Every structure is written in C-alpha cells, then in structure tokens.
Coordinates of all heavy atoms in Angstrom, one line a residue:
M1 N 0.9 -1.2 0.0 CA 0.0 0.0 0.0 C 0.9 1.2 0.0 O 1.8 1.4 0.8 CB -0.9 0.0 1.2 CG -1.8 1.1 1.3 SD -3.0 0.8 2.7 CE -3.7 2.4 2.7
T2 N 0.6 2.1 -0.9 CA 1.4 3.4 -1.0 C 0.8 4.5 -0.2 O -0.4 4.6 -0.3 CB 1.7 3.8 -2.4 OG1 0.4 4.0 -3.0 CG2 2.5 2.7 -3.2
T3 N 1.5 5.3 0.4 CA 1.0 6.4 1.2 C 1.3 7.6 0.4 O 2.4 7.9 0.0 CB 1.7 6.5 2.5 OG1 1.5 5.3 3.2 CG2 1.1 7.6 3.4
T4 N 0.3 8.4 0.1 CA 0.5 9.7 -0.6 C 0.5 10.9 0.4 O -0.4 10.7 1.4 CB -0.6 9.9 -1.7 OG1 -1.9 9.9 -1.2 CG2 -0.5 8.8 -2.8
S5 N 1.2 11.8 0.2 CA 1.2 12.9 1.1 C 0.7 14.1 0.3 O 0.9 14.2 -0.9 CB 2.5 13.2 1.7 OG 3.5 13.4 0.7
K6 N 0.0 15.0 1.0 CA -0.4 16.3 0.3 C -0.1 17.4 1.1 O 0.1 17.4 2.3 CB -1.9 16.1 0.0 CG -2.8 16.1 1.1 CD -4.2 16.1 0.6 CE -5.2 16.2 1.7 NZ -6.6 16.3 1.3
Q7 N -0.1 18.6 0.5 CA 0.2 19.8 1.1 C -1.2 20.4 1.4 O -2.0 20.5 0.6 CB 0.9 20.7 0.0 CG 1.7 21.9 0.7 CD 3.0 21.5 1.2 OE1 3.4 20.3 1.3 NE2 3.8 22.4 1.7
V8 N -1.3 20.9 2.7 CA -2.6 21.5 3.1 C -2.2 22.8 3.7 O -1.0 23.1 4.0 CB -3.3 20.7 4.1 CG1 -3.8 19.4 3.5 CG2 -2.6 20.4 5.3
Q9 N -3.1 23.6 4.0 CA -3.0 24.9 4.7 C -3.0 24.8 6.2 O -3.9 24.2 6.7 CB -4.0 25.9 4.2 CG -3.8 27.3 4.7 CD -4.8 28.3 4.1 OE1 -5.8 27.9 3.6 NE2 -4.6 29.6 4.2
C10 N -2.0 25.3 6.9 CA -2.0 25.2 8.3 C -3.1 26.0 8.9 O -3.3 27.1 8.7 CB -0.6 25.7 8.9 SG -0.5 25.7 10.7
P11 N -3.9 25.4 9.8 CA -5.1 26.0 10.4 C -4.7 27.2 11.3 O -5.4 28.2 11.5 CB -5.8 25.0 11.2 CG -5.1 23.7 11.0 CD -3.9 24.0 10.3
A12 N -3.5 27.3 11.8 CA -3.1 28.4 12.7 C -2.5 29.5 11.9 O -2.8 30.7 12.1 CB -2.1 27.8 13.7
C13 N -1.4 29.3 11.1 CA -0.8 30.4 10.4 C -1.1 30.5 9.0 O -0.8 31.6 8.3 CB 0.8 30.2 10.6 SG 1.5 28.9 9.6
G14 N -1.7 29.5 8.4 CA -2.1 29.6 7.0 C -0.9 29.2 6.0 O -1.1 29.2 4.8
G15 N 0.2 28.8 6.6 CA 1.3 28.4 5.7 C 1.2 27.0 5.2 O 0.2 26.2 5.6
P16 N 2.0 26.5 4.4 CA 2.0 25.2 3.9 C 2.2 24.1 5.0 O 3.2 24.4 5.8 CB 3.0 25.1 2.7 CG 3.9 26.3 3.1 CD 3.2 27.3 3.8
S17 N 1.6 23.1 4.9 CA 1.8 22.0 5.9 C 1.8 20.7 5.2 O 0.8 20.4 4.4 CB 0.8 22.1 7.0 OG 1.0 21.0 7.9
L18 N 2.7 19.7 5.5 CA 2.7 18.5 4.9 C 1.7 17.6 5.7 O 1.8 17.4 6.9 CB 4.0 17.9 5.0 CG 4.2 16.4 4.4 CD1 3.8 16.4 2.8 CD2 5.6 15.9 4.6
Y19 N 0.6 17.1 5.0 CA -0.3 16.2 5.7 C 0.1 14.8 5.4 O -0.5 14.1 4.5 CB -1.8 16.5 5.2 CG -2.8 15.9 6.2 CD1 -3.2 16.6 7.3 CD2 -3.4 14.7 5.9 CE1 -4.1 16.0 8.2 CE2 -4.3 14.1 6.7 CZ -4.7 14.8 7.9 OH -5.6 14.2 8.7
A20 N 0.9 14.2 6.2 CA 1.5 12.9 6.1 C 2.0 12.4 7.4 O 2.2 13.2 8.3 CB 2.5 12.9 5.0
P21 N 2.1 11.1 7.6 CA 2.7 10.5 8.8 C 4.0 11.2 9.2 O 4.4 11.2 10.4 CB 2.7 9.1 8.6 CG 1.7 8.8 7.5 CD 1.7 10.0 6.7
A22 N 4.8 11.6 8.2 CA 6.1 12.2 8.5 C 6.0 13.5 9.2 O 6.9 13.9 10.0 CB 6.8 12.4 7.1
N23 N 4.9 14.2 9.2 CA 4.7 15.5 9.9 C 3.9 15.1 11.2 O 2.7 14.9 11.2 CB 3.9 16.4 9.1 CG 3.6 17.8 9.8 OD1 4.1 18.0 11.0 ND2 2.9 18.6 9.2
R24 N 4.6 15.0 12.3 CA 3.9 14.6 13.5 C 3.0 15.8 14.2 O 2.4 15.5 15.2 CB 5.0 14.2 14.6 CG 5.9 15.3 15.1 CD 6.9 14.7 16.0 NE 7.2 15.8 17.0 CZ 8.3 15.8 17.6 NH1 9.3 15.0 17.4 NH2 8.5 16.8 18.6
F25 N 3.0 16.9 13.5 CA 2.2 18.0 14.0 C 1.0 18.2 13.1 O 0.2 19.2 13.3 CB 3.0 19.3 14.0 CG 4.3 19.2 14.8 CD1 5.5 19.3 14.2 CD2 4.3 18.9 16.2 CE1 6.7 19.2 14.8 CE2 5.5 18.9 16.9 CZ 6.6 18.9 16.2
R26 N 0.8 17.3 12.2 CA -0.3 17.5 11.2 C -1.7 17.7 11.9 O -1.9 17.0 12.9 CB -0.4 16.4 10.2 CG -0.8 15.1 10.7 CD -0.8 14.0 9.6 NE -1.2 12.7 10.1 CZ -0.5 11.8 10.5 NH1 0.8 11.9 10.5 NH2 -1.0 10.7 11.1
P27 N -2.5 18.5 11.4 CA -2.5 19.3 10.2 C -1.7 20.6 10.4 O -1.7 21.4 9.5 CB -4.0 19.7 10.0 CG -4.5 19.8 11.4 CD -3.8 18.7 12.2
F28 N -1.1 20.8 11.5 CA -0.3 22.0 11.7 C 1.1 21.9 11.1 O 1.5 20.8 10.8 CB -0.1 22.4 13.2 CG -1.5 22.5 13.8 CD1 -2.1 21.4 14.6 CD2 -2.2 23.6 13.8 CE1 -3.3 21.5 15.1 CE2 -3.5 23.8 14.4 CZ -4.0 22.7 15.0
C29 N 1.7 23.0 10.8 CA 3.0 23.0 10.1 C 4.2 22.8 11.1 O 5.3 22.4 10.7 CB 3.3 24.2 9.3 SG 3.3 25.8 10.2
S30 N 3.9 23.1 12.4 CA 5.0 23.1 13.4 C 4.4 22.9 14.8 O 3.1 23.1 15.1 CB 5.8 24.3 13.4 OG 5.0 25.5 13.8
E31 N 5.2 22.5 15.8 CA 4.8 22.5 17.1 C 4.3 23.8 17.7 O 3.3 23.8 18.4 CB 5.9 21.9 18.1 CG 5.5 21.8 19.5 CD 6.6 21.2 20.4 OE1 7.8 21.2 20.0 OE2 6.3 20.8 21.5
R32 N 4.9 24.8 17.2 CA 4.5 26.2 17.7 C 3.0 26.5 17.2 O 2.2 26.9 18.1 CB 5.3 27.3 17.0 CG 5.0 28.7 17.4 CD 5.9 29.7 16.7 NE 5.5 31.0 17.1 CZ 4.7 31.8 16.4 NH1 4.1 31.3 15.3 NH2 4.3 33.0 16.8
C33 N 2.7 26.1 16.0 CA 1.2 26.3 15.6 C 0.3 25.4 16.3 O -0.8 25.8 16.7 CB 1.2 26.2 14.1 SG 1.8 27.5 13.1
K34 N 0.7 24.2 16.6 CA -0.1 23.2 17.4 C -0.3 23.8 18.8 O -1.5 23.7 19.3 CB 0.6 21.9 17.4 CG -0.3 20.8 18.0 CD 0.5 19.5 17.9 CE -0.3 18.3 18.5 NZ 0.3 17.1 18.4
Q35 N 0.7 24.4 19.4 CA 0.6 24.8 20.8 C -0.3 26.2 20.8 O -1.0 26.3 21.8 CB 1.9 25.1 21.4 CG 2.7 23.9 21.6 CD 2.1 22.9 22.6 OE1 1.4 23.3 23.6 NE2 2.3 21.7 22.4
I36 N -0.2 27.0 19.8 CA -1.1 28.1 19.7 C -2.5 27.8 19.7 O -3.4 28.3 20.4 CB -0.7 29.1 18.5 CG1 0.7 29.7 18.8 CG2 -1.8 30.0 18.2 CD1 1.2 30.4 17.5
D37 N -2.9 26.8 18.9 CA -4.2 26.2 18.8 C -4.7 25.7 20.1 O -5.8 25.9 20.5 CB -4.3 25.2 17.6 CG -5.7 24.8 17.3 OD1 -6.5 25.6 16.8 OD2 -6.2 23.7 17.8
L38 N -3.8 24.9 20.7 CA -4.2 24.3 22.0 C -4.5 25.3 23.1 O -5.4 25.3 23.9 CB -3.1 23.3 22.5 CG -3.3 22.7 23.8 CD1 -4.6 21.8 23.8 CD2 -2.1 21.8 24.2
G39 N -3.6 26.4 23.0 CA -3.8 27.5 23.9 C -5.2 28.3 23.8 O -5.8 28.7 24.7
A40 N -5.5 28.3 22.5 CA -6.8 29.1 22.2 C -8.0 28.2 22.7 O -8.9 28.8 23.2 CB -6.9 29.3 20.6
W41 N -7.9 26.9 22.6 CA -9.0 26.1 23.2 C -9.0 26.2 24.7 O -10.0 26.3 25.3 CB -8.8 24.7 22.8 CG -9.4 24.4 21.4 CD1 -8.6 24.3 20.2 CD2 -10.7 24.2 21.0 NE1 -9.5 24.0 19.1 CE2 -10.8 24.0 19.6 CE3 -11.9 24.3 21.6 CZ2 -12.0 23.8 18.9 CZ3 -13.1 24.1 21.0 CH2 -13.1 23.9 19.5
A42 N -7.8 26.1 25.3 CA -7.7 26.2 26.8 C -8.2 27.5 27.4 O -8.7 27.5 28.4 CB -6.2 25.9 27.1
S43 N -8.0 28.6 26.6 CA -8.4 29.8 27.1 C -9.9 30.2 26.7 O -10.3 31.3 26.8 CB -7.5 31.0 26.7 OG -7.5 31.1 25.3
E44 N -10.5 29.2 26.1 CA -11.9 29.3 25.6 C -12.1 30.3 24.5 O -13.2 30.9 24.5 CB -12.8 29.5 26.8 CG -12.8 28.3 27.8 CD -13.8 28.5 28.9 OE1 -14.5 29.4 29.0 OE2 -13.9 27.6 29.7
Q45 N -11.1 30.6 23.7 CA -11.4 31.4 22.5 C -12.2 30.7 21.5 O -12.8 31.3 20.7 CB -10.0 31.8 22.0 CG -9.2 32.8 22.8 CD -7.9 33.1 22.2 OE1 -7.6 32.8 21.1 NE2 -7.0 33.8 23.0
F46 N -12.1 29.4 21.5 CA -12.9 28.5 20.6 C -14.0 27.9 21.5 O -13.6 27.4 22.6 CB -12.1 27.5 19.9 CG -11.0 27.9 19.0 CD1 -9.8 27.4 19.0 CD2 -11.2 29.0 18.1 CE1 -8.8 27.8 18.2 CE2 -10.3 29.5 17.3 CZ -9.0 28.8 17.3
K47 N -15.2 27.8 21.0 CA -16.2 27.2 21.8 C -17.1 26.5 20.9 O -17.5 26.9 19.8 CB -17.1 28.2 22.6 CG -16.3 29.0 23.6 CD -17.1 30.0 24.4 CE -16.3 30.8 25.3 NZ -17.1 31.8 26.0
V48 N -17.6 25.3 21.4 CA -18.7 24.6 20.6 C -20.0 25.1 21.1 O -20.3 25.3 22.3 CB -18.5 23.0 21.0 CG1 -19.6 22.3 20.3 CG2 -17.2 22.5 20.6
P49 N -20.8 25.5 20.1 CA -22.1 26.1 20.5 C -23.0 25.1 21.2 O -23.1 24.0 21.0 CB -22.8 26.4 19.1 CG -22.0 25.8 18.1 CD -20.7 25.4 18.7
E50 N -23.6 25.7 22.2 CA -24.5 25.0 23.1 C -25.9 24.8 22.5 O -26.4 25.9 22.0 CB -24.7 25.6 24.5 CG -25.4 24.8 25.5 CD -25.5 25.5 26.8 OE1 -24.7 26.4 27.1 OE2 -26.4 25.1 27.6
Q51 N -26.6 23.7 22.5 CA -27.9 23.6 21.9 C -28.9 24.1 23.0 O -28.7 24.1 24.2 CB -28.2 22.1 21.7 CG -27.4 21.5 20.6 CD -27.9 20.1 20.3 OE1 -28.7 19.5 21.0 NE2 -27.3 19.5 19.3
A52 N -30.0 24.7 22.5 CA -31.0 25.2 23.3 C -31.7 24.0 24.1 O -31.8 23.0 23.5 CB -32.0 26.0 22.5
P53 N -32.0 24.3 25.3 CA -32.7 23.2 26.1 C -34.0 22.9 25.5 O -34.7 23.7 24.9 CB -32.7 23.8 27.5 CG -32.6 25.2 27.4 CD -31.8 25.5 26.1
D54 N -34.5 21.6 25.8 CA -35.8 21.2 25.3 C -36.9 22.0 26.0 O -36.9 21.9 27.3 CB -35.9 19.7 25.5 CG -37.2 19.1 24.8 OD1 -37.8 19.9 24.0 OD2 -37.6 18.0 25.2
K55 N -37.7 22.7 25.3 CA -38.8 23.5 26.0 C -40.2 23.0 25.6 O -41.1 23.7 25.3 CB -38.7 25.0 25.6 CG -37.4 25.6 26.0 CD -37.5 26.0 27.5 CE -36.3 26.8 27.9 NZ -36.3 27.2 29.2
T56 N -40.4 21.7 25.8 CA -41.7 21.2 25.5 C -42.6 21.4 26.7 O -42.1 21.6 27.8 CB -41.7 19.7 25.2 OG1 -41.2 19.0 26.3 CG2 -40.9 19.4 24.0
P57 N -44.0 21.7 26.5 CA -44.8 22.1 27.6 C -44.8 21.1 28.7 O -44.9 21.5 29.9 CB -46.2 22.2 27.0 CG -46.0 22.4 25.5 CD -44.6 21.7 25.2
D58 N -44.8 19.8 28.4 CA -44.8 18.7 29.5 C -43.5 18.5 30.2 O -43.5 18.0 31.2 CB -45.2 17.4 28.9 CG -46.7 17.5 28.3 OD1 -47.5 18.3 28.8 OD2 -47.0 16.7 27.4
F59 N -42.4 19.1 29.7 CA -41.2 18.8 30.3 C -41.0 19.6 31.5 O -40.4 18.9 32.5 CB -40.1 19.4 29.2 CG -38.7 19.1 29.7 CD1 -38.1 17.8 29.7 CD2 -37.9 20.2 30.1 CE1 -36.9 17.6 30.1 CE2 -36.5 20.0 30.5 CZ -36.1 18.6 30.6
E60 N -41.5 20.7 31.7 CA -41.2 21.4 33.0 C -42.4 21.4 33.9 O -42.3 21.9 35.0 CB -41.0 22.9 32.6 CG -39.7 23.1 31.9 CD -39.4 24.6 31.6 OE1 -40.1 25.5 32.1 OE2 -38.5 24.8 30.8
Q61 N -43.5 20.7 33.6 CA -44.6 20.6 34.5 C -44.4 19.3 35.4 O -43.9 18.3 35.0 CB -45.9 20.4 33.8 CG -46.3 21.6 33.0 CD -47.5 21.4 32.3 OE1 -48.1 20.3 32.2 NE2 -48.1 22.6 31.7
N62 N -44.7 19.5 36.6 CA -44.7 18.4 37.5 C -45.7 18.4 38.6 O -46.1 19.3 39.2 CB -43.3 18.3 38.2 CG -43.0 17.0 38.7 OD1 -43.8 16.1 38.7 ND2 -41.8 16.8 39.2

C-alpha cells in the first residue's frame, strides 16, 4: 500500500503544511502552531455552540 502525502494549509498560520505521517504536528506545520491552537482552546477562545434546552410544555410541569 502506498502512502501519498499532500500539502494543506496550516489552520493556525495559513502556511503550507505536509499532511502525512512524516509530519507529527499535522494538520499544523509546526509544534508552535499546534501549541497556539491548543492555547486558544484552553483559554476558551474557541467554543462549541450549546444547543437550546428542550422546551416542550410537558417537560417542565410536575
């Protein structure tokens, strides 16, 4: 089985990044870009949107 590698855009800096097993930071181009992205998640700069709670009429009655 042959492995093909391709060039992608680094999500952090926008520079070229090798998307292959040889690049241990993929999809990032470097450890620095990977750490920047991790820091953004840790400081809650990126957030997954919360779904609105279920507001059916029978749900809150008791």
Side-chain angles (χ1 to χ4, degrees):
M1 184 173 168
T2 60
T3 305
T4 59
S5 58
K6 67 180 187 176
Q7 200 82 354
V8 297
Q9 187 176 14
C10 176
C13 72
S17 177
L18 180 64
Y19 194 82
N23 178 6
R24 66 182 217 211
F25 309 113
R26 69 179 182 265
F28 304 99
C29 65
S30 65
E31 183 176 14
R32 179 180 180 270
C33 284
K34 186 176 180 178
Q35 293 298 326
I36 289 170
D37 186 76
L38 178 62
W41 280 102
S43 65
E44 298 183 358
Q45 291 177 10
F46 299 137
K47 296 179 183 179
V48 177
E50 184 178 344
Q51 292 183 355
D54 188 13
K55 294 283 185 177
T56 59
D58 296 333
F59 183 71
E60 294 182 10
Q61 292 178 355
N62 202 354

